[in-house]
Structure formats: structure tokens, C-alpha cells
Amino acid sequence: MKLYEFQGKQLFKQYGIKTPQGVVINTIKKMSEKVMTIKFPAMVKAQVLAGGRGKAGGVKRVLNSKDAEILTTQLLGAELKDCKIDAILVEECVPFVAEYYLSITLDSGSRMPVLIFSKHGGVDIEEVALNNPDKIAKVIVDPLIGLQDFYFASLFRKAGLVEPELKSQITETIRLLYALYTEYDCMLVEINPLMRLEDGTIIAADAKVEIDDSAMYRHPDLLQWRESMYVNELEKQAKAVKFLYIDVESTGTVGVISNGSGMIMACVDWISKQGGQVACALDLSGGATAERVAEGIRILAQNPSVKALLISIFGGITRCDEIAAGILKAAQQPDLCIPIVAKLDGTNREEGMKLLIAANRANVIIAHNVKEASEKVLKTQIND
Amino acid sequence: MSILVDASTRLIVQGITGREGSYHTKMMLEYGTNVVAGVTPGKGGQTVEGVPVYNSVEEAVTEHRVNAAVLFVPPQRTLGAILEQIAAGVKLIITIAEGVPVKDMRTIYHINRANKDITIVGPNSFGVISPGKAKAGFMDHRIYLEGSVGLMSRSATNSYETVNEMTKQGIGQSTCVGVGGDVIPGTSFVKLLPLFEKDEQTKAIVMIGEIGGADEEMAAAYIKNHVSKPVIAYIAGRHAPKGKVMGHAGAIVGADGAGSAESKIEILTAAGVYIADSPAQIVERLNSLLKRT
């Protein structure tokens, strides 16, 4: 689960990492009272999970409370980079002398946490990474050894950080952030920019925190945040019946249903290879019943971009006769106006195929492998 | 021969009294696997399908000569269960659960790094099967056929699809391993390659990977220098949109293209690996390879 900036900053504060004074505004009702508590100039920051929000106009500097309120009113409820803005963070501007970059994530090769630090933080960090990768220092920390001093020495040597006072302050910030990273099952913690103020204070001007979804049960304090997160309507419906809904391409026209993410990827690959595009996919996982399959079809069919469905199953725990019954149940609904191409294999394949053949429905097309299924699903669209 | 599990496997099932645990114990016994004991705290003294149940792994290991374990325990209890197996001295631990926290697997991975004689397969895995000999996991064993192809896969559905096609055409398997789709698998491709290379029954190796992570890249480096047997790879997710998790926690590609299908395919090709674009093409290639030898 990705956290909003204001939520990430709340965790930072909990761990003793300094952040600018700010207020979160969810509704314009008590906006004025809240904005009054802030010193100006201030930053008005739209809380969305997409990157590059500053360049998209979601972060602006304002000189007084009136401007802050006007801008907040404009942004609240608007869309930024395909995300609806449900909250605004109004935060005091801090006079900084330097902007750094700091993050901790998992190194996929060594499976160890990696500390990433650069003296050249700020909005252009991606450019620095691309053109001057040596300006970004990385140190992998062996979790069996722990965050020892020699790791910091190595990180600062690579980053070209020499000032003793500054080094000790950054060390302290990294220790706090590492504790948060470990204790809250984080996949990523990132501060960009990490600011140094005139008086030498180190302060987190932004916060990107991502928590491992599988570990959410250990963090009941975060559950209320998860409930308030904005999610796509179809994602919500799928989740309610324990399916995973994935938006794939906004220009896609095919919906894919399968009983595993590997198979979904295989279907996306074949459809793309034949010049088509997948709009969205649904992972049924193992053991779906006819009822639930029909429900899954109903969910994907609601996506207006979807002009045809491809259902590819390899049954282990999942039984093909249940899948076939579910397909027929959905196909009989008068409001389902898109064709379904089905490829069934594995447990009870024969029974499933028999059901589909016996039903002999024009809107249910049988295929024998993924390649044939992708061809057929694209062909249904040409005929339209 | 074959790898990891075979006729000499003496398996314990942790979580044997649960719904999945008891059902798959029955299936594993039916397949001829030697399931010697089960473990469920508080259920010691019972039997499941004739298999004695113990309160702890330690008791089961004291009473039986155990050399492998399969875990049917929920993801929240997987860390503790694996550690209990390690403490009791079990050297092959196969874990099925989906949704184990990354930090828990990180702990296990690094304990394993310091104790190299232990092999941990999974989590988020269908298990391990050596057709005709034994299985530890939940795969539908009817699709498998004993033979000479070693298979390892991050995705269960894509491996079933491939095995089914192989078996239909009379190409059997030595051992099939579900590496699992998690961010940190206990065993990745690179740890299995030396086992398949050494195994006399295995004549060719099939690797089913997907986007994300660096496991295919590490496998490529190993294959280049140490593997003499032909390797065929299939990488799912070539056309997955960048920066999107496709369901498997591991299948995510960064904006820099590291971990993308293109980069994996390029590196594997350079290491002499044949790249198939579908399970059907894997089988086509195997047909021509195995007929020549």
C-alpha cells in the first residue's frame, strides 16, 4: 500500500524525523480555521499517489491564506494524473540551503536493504540518475550485520559528503528512517527533497512510503488509512469477492480473466503480439465457483473500454466445469453484450468443454490454446 | 535420479490437520509419497490418513527419520513454521502459502545464506514433484509424466500449461519445482541450476520466468559458465505496462527497464539460452532437442 505524503510524514514524526508545519484539508468546511494556523508563504500540495505531481501543477507556492484557500478549493475533488484529489496538504515554506535525496528499499539481487543518498536531490533526481549516476551513492546493508558505522562511512565517501556536523545529522536521519523501514514492513521509504535549513536542521520536505500489503495485518494503525484510500470502482467490486482487478492499458479493448497472474501475463503478451491491447484483467486465483466466475465476468464487462473477453484457465484446484457453468450463466444475461472467448485446460476440462459445446451460444467462442484464443478475441472486434 | 524429492523422501506435513493440509496429504500419499508424520500444535496423538500427528516438529523428527517438510500453514505463521523446521534440523523445507510478508522471507533468506545446507522452496509455490516418484505440494499430479526435462517456474499456471503440453506429446519431466512468484523466494533459479546440471535423469532444463526482480539475470550468468545442458526459457510479461504490479508481488518493472522482459531475454540469449514465446514453443523446441540425443 502506497501512503499519501501527509500519512508518510505522520510516520516520520512518530520516528522523530522533522517535517515542516502543515495541515491536511479534506473538506472546505473548516478550511479557514486550519489555514489560519499556518505561517506564510506556504506550499499547497495535492495529495495523490502519482509521481511528478509538482510538474503537473499539483504543488504550488502561495503568499497568503486567501490564495491558499482559493487554490485548495480549486484542487480539492479535481483530478491530477488520473487520480482524484481527496486531500490537500498546506505546509509552511522552509528556507533551505541544500536539497538532498534519501531512500531505503530492497535490492532485488542481494535481497538486502539498500541505502540511497545524493547531495543533488529535488525534482530533477531522475535526470541525475540518468546522466550522472555516480552522483547517487548506494550502499547495501546486510541485515545479519545491521546498520553499522562502516556503512555510513562508505555511503558518505561515495556521495562526497565531508562536513562532520552534516554527516552526523544525516546519519541520525538514516537511522530513524531505517527503523521505520524495518518496523513498518516498508517496501520503500523515500525523502526527496531532504532539506538542510540555514540553522543546520535537517527536515523531510516530502515523503514517499510504501508498505508491504502482505504485512498489513501487523499494522492495525494503518488499516484506517487503507479504508480511506481512493480505489477504482471495479477494483473495489473485485476485492469484495476476493478477486484481483488490474487496469492494464487505457487504450485497450480486451478484458482478460484467468486463475493466475502468470497466465494473465501470457495472455497480455499474446494479444499485444497480435496487435491488440488489453484494457483490464481479473485474477480469480484458485478454486473459483460458477457463481463467482459469473460475478467476475459481470465486473469486467462494466469497464466501458472492454469490447470482448478472453477467459484462459488452467485448472488445478480450479475446476473447468465450474468455469464453464459460470461463463454460460453470465452469457445468458441479456445485458451482457460482449462476446466471450474461452480456453479451458486442466481439471475437468472435458466436462467443461461439453457444457460449452452443448449450450452452443453465439456469444461464447471456444479456443484450444492461448494463441488461438487471442486471435479469436481480436477477430470478434474486427467484425463489429 | 531427479532432484529434491524422490522415492527416498521421508516427508512431514506441517499443518496436516487443516483443510488443505489433510486433503493434500491424501493426494501425496496416493501418489506414492512417503509421508511419515504430520505436525499441528495441540493435535498430537491424532492421525490423518493414517499418518501420525505430533505437537511439534521436534517430536516428529525424534520419532521419524525425516528429510523433507511441506508447510500448509497460513502466511502469517510461515516465518515461525520455517524457523521451527530449521531448528529441528530439517534440510528441505517446501512452503506453499501465498502472501507471506517480504520481511519474513528476508529473514529466512539470510538465515539460509548463512546455513547453505538448507533448501527452502517457495513461498507462493505449487511445491515440488518428481513424476513417478514423489510429490510435496498441491499440483494436480495427473498432468505429469516421468521423463528427462527439469522444469522450474515462477508461475504455477504457466508451468501447468507447459507440463500438460509436454505430457500430451510424450515428453516427461525429471522434477518440476515451483520457485514461486514472491519478491524473495527461498530458492531461485540459480540455486536449482547446479542440481539439474548434476542430475543424470535431466537432459534439458526449462525455466519459466517473468518480469521483475533479477533472478533470470543471475541464472543467465550461471548458465553461461556452468551449465552444459540445453536451457529453454519463457519470460511472461513482455507486454505488461511498465510500473504495474501484475499480481505476483515480484512482477513489477521499474521505469529504468531493469527487470523488463527485453533485458532478461537479451541477457539470457547472450548466455546461450533458447527463448520460447509460449509454452507451445517450449515443447516444440524440446521435441527437436530430445529426438536428436
Side-chain angles (χ1 to χ4, degrees):
Chain A
M1 179 177 83
K2 286 182 181 162
L3 301 187
Y4 289 124
E5 175 192 3
F6 77 88
Q7 297 169 331
K9 282 183 170 166
Q10 206 163 309
L11 289 181
F12 283 0
K13 272 182 242 167
Q14 211 173 303
Y15 276 79
I17 298 168
K18 290 194 186 79
T19 61
Q21 276 298 322
V23 289
V24 182
I25 296 165
N26 305 92
T27 147
I28 51 170
K29 266 189 203 157
K30 289 190 175 168
M31 174 171 69
S32 301
E33 279 172 47
K34 285 186 176 175
V35 170
M36 255 168 44
T37 63
I38 295 296
K39 275 192 218 122
F40 285 85
M43 302 300 289
V44 172
K45 303 165 101 179
Q47 300 296 290
V48 287
L49 297 175
R53 63 178 174 157
K55 287 179 179 169
V59 179
K60 281 188 182 136
R61 190 167 187 244
V62 289
L63 295 172
N64 52 56
S65 59
K66 190 170 160 254
D67 289 353
E69 288 181 30
I70 291 170
L71 189 54
T72 300
T73 312
Q74 274 173 13
L75 287 173
L76 211 55
E79 276 202 14
L80 190 78
K81 300 198 111 187
D82 291 333
C83 303
K84 188 167 160 268
I85 305 168
D86 281 332
I88 305 287
L89 177 64
V90 182
E91 207 174 59
E92 291 178 13
C93 281
V94 280
F96 58 90
V97 291
E99 290 186 303
Y100 308 124
Y101 172 92
L102 173 62
S103 68
I104 306 172
T105 187
L106 186 79
D107 175 63
S108 58
S110 65
R111 328 248 194 233
M112 295 181 191
V114 55
L115 310 177
I116 307 174
F117 178 82
S118 176
K119 286 204 298 190
H120 309 271
V123 287
D124 293 325
I125 190 72
E126 275 95 358
E127 236 163 80
V128 177
L130 209 62
N131 302 325
N132 297 85
D134 55 316
K135 290 211 159 46
I136 296 178
K138 293 182 187 176
V139 165
I140 290 172
V141 177
D142 186 335
L144 294 182
I145 289 167
L147 198 53
Q148 302 300 326
D149 287 345
F150 68 90
Y151 285 129
F152 291 108
S154 165
L155 186 72
F156 296 146
R157 202 161 44 240
K158 287 181 187 176
L161 205 67
V162 284
E163 222 182 296
E165 172 62 21
L166 181 58
K167 282 202 285 191
S168 84
Q169 277 181 313
I170 302 282
T171 300
E172 177 61 13
T173 306
I174 294 176
R175 282 197 192 284
L176 298 171
L177 195 65
Y178 190 84
L180 166 66
Y181 172 81
T182 310
E183 289 164 16
Y184 266 93
D185 284 279
C186 296
M187 301 299 288
L188 168 75
V189 286
E190 184 184 80
I191 306 175
N192 185 37
L194 179 68
M195 287 176 174
R196 186 186 193 198
L197 308 188
E198 273 161 355
D199 65 359
T201 312
I202 298 292
I203 188 164
D206 197 1
K208 266 208 185 76
V209 177
E210 192 180 345
I211 313 281
D212 177 6
D213 287 312
S214 298
M216 281 300 287
Y217 72 95
R218 290 203 277 242
H219 308 290
D221 53 327
L222 302 185
L223 286 176
Q224 46 153 0
W225 283 347
R226 182 160 70 177
E227 274 143 33
S228 69
M229 285 275 155
Y230 168 74
V231 282
N232 175 315
E233 174 57 28
L234 297 182
E235 238 169 79
K236 215 184 281 171
Q237 289 185 23
K239 216 173 181 178
V241 282
K242 297 207 165 145
F243 292 151
L244 179 70
Y245 174 91
I246 309 153
D247 262 324
V248 184
E249 301 274 6
S250 55
T251 48
T253 56
V254 179
V256 170
I257 297 180
S258 183
N259 58 327
S261 58
M263 180 75 87
I264 288 177
M265 280 190 265
C267 293
V268 173
D269 288 347
W270 271 111
I271 290 168
S272 307
K273 205 172 169 181
Q274 286 160 358
Q277 270 189 333
V278 174
C280 55
L282 194 73
D283 189 342
L284 306 176
S285 287
T289 59
E291 290 292 326
R292 299 182 66 229
V293 171
E295 177 63 14
I297 293 170
R298 198 190 60 77
I299 292 169
L300 278 205
Q302 284 177 64
N303 182 328
S305 313
V306 172
K307 304 291 180 238
L309 287 179
L310 189 162
I311 302 184
S312 177
I313 299 293
F314 198 100
I317 301 175
T318 308
R319 285 167 38 196
C320 291
D321 53 332
E322 287 284 340
I323 301 282
I327 291 172
L328 293 174
K329 194 171 187 292
Q332 279 155 10
Q333 300 297 322
D335 57 340
L336 187 90
C337 39
I338 53 171
I340 302 171
V341 176
K343 186 238 107 184
L344 308 179
D345 244 319
T347 309
N348 293 1
R349 172 181 187 274
E350 300 311 319
E351 292 87 333
M353 291 296 270
K354 259 186 219 155
L355 282 176
L356 294 185
I357 292 165
N360 191 25
R361 293 193 63 92
N363 61 349
V364 179
I365 302 154
I366 297 169
H368 298 90
N369 54 55
V370 177
K371 182 169 174 247
E372 189 195 338
S374 342
E375 281 163 7
K376 285 186 167 169
V377 82
L378 293 174
K379 217 172 140 209
T380 60
Q381 305 187 359
I382 299 166
N383 292 344
D384 282 351
Chain B
M1 287 284 286
S2 67
I3 70 166
L4 301 176
V5 300
D6 57 27
S8 70
T9 296
R10 301 173 57 81
L11 187 72
I12 55 174
V13 178
Q14 196 164 359
I16 193 167
T17 56
R19 198 168 59 95
E20 298 284 315
S22 57
Y23 175 73
H24 289 291
T25 296
K26 189 173 161 213
M27 292 295 117
M28 291 187 286
L29 285 167
E30 251 180 53
Y31 198 61
T33 313
N34 188 10
V35 181
V36 296
V39 175
T40 300
K43 302 275 174 78
Q46 299 183 6
T47 61
V48 171
E49 303 294 329
V51 175
V53 180
Y54 297 88
N55 285 319
S56 70
V57 179
E58 195 189 0
E59 283 174 43
V61 169
T62 314
E63 295 298 321
H64 303 271
R65 274 192 308 116
V66 169
N67 58 14
V70 62
L71 274 48
F72 286 95
V73 300
Q76 296 84 347
R77 293 219 299 271
T78 295
L79 172 66
I82 296 176
L83 292 176
E84 190 185 348
Q85 295 288 347
I86 293 175
V90 178
K91 302 295 182 200
L92 173 61
I93 304 157
I94 296 158
T95 167
I96 303 302
E98 189 177 347
V100 178
V102 174
K103 191 170 74 180
D104 293 2
M105 275 316 295
R106 196 187 79 187
T107 303
I108 296 294
Y109 182 88
H110 293 291
I111 289 175
N112 195 184
R113 185 165 57 89
N115 298 274
K116 290 196 167 49
D117 58 335
I118 303 168
T119 301
I120 293 154
V121 177
N124 195 2
S125 156
F126 57 80
V128 182
I129 180 168
S130 295
K133 301 185 183 90
K135 74 162 187 172
F138 65 75
M139 71 295 283
D140 178 2
H141 54 248
R142 291 168 299 180
I143 63 169
Y144 295 84
L145 174 73
E146 188 168 2
S148 60
V149 178
L151 182 144
M152 45 191 190
S153 178
R154 281 169 72 181
S155 141
T157 38
N158 283 330
S159 87
Y160 297 158
E161 184 90 3
T162 307
V163 167
N164 192 46
E165 200 57 39
M166 281 166 72
T167 299
K168 267 194 215 161
Q169 301 198 29
I171 301 171
Q173 307 89 39
S174 52
T175 301
C176 298
V177 185
V179 165
D182 276 7
V183 173
I184 304 184
T187 290
S188 59
F189 297 138
V190 75
K191 271 192 188 167
L192 295 170
L193 283 165
L195 305 183
F196 278 131
E197 173 68 10
K198 222 176 104 187
D199 176 43
E200 280 167 25
Q201 189 182 330
T202 304
K203 303 290 180 219
I205 303 165
V206 170
M207 178 165 103
I208 301 176
E210 57 193 35
I211 50 171
D215 291 358
E216 290 80 5
E217 288 83 342
M218 288 193 282
Y222 187 87
I223 291 165
K224 201 172 182 178
N225 299 316
H226 305 283
V227 178
S228 64
K229 294 176 182 176
V231 182
I232 302 169
Y234 168 61
I235 308 294
R238 262 191 222 211
H239 298 280
K242 286 199 181 358
K244 266 230 149 109
V245 181
M246 292 298 286
H248 278 176
I252 181 161
V253 182
D256 58 351
S260 72
E262 290 77 20
S263 100
K264 285 178 193 290
I265 287 169
E266 193 186 313
I267 294 167
L268 285 166
T269 307
V273 174
Y274 179 85
I275 304 293
D277 66 4
S278 62
Q281 212 182 35
I282 296 175
V283 182
E284 228 169 78
R285 179 69 178 178
L286 283 170
N287 256 324
S288 65
L289 273 176
L290 298 171
K291 271 174 195 155
R292 243 188 291 140
T293 50

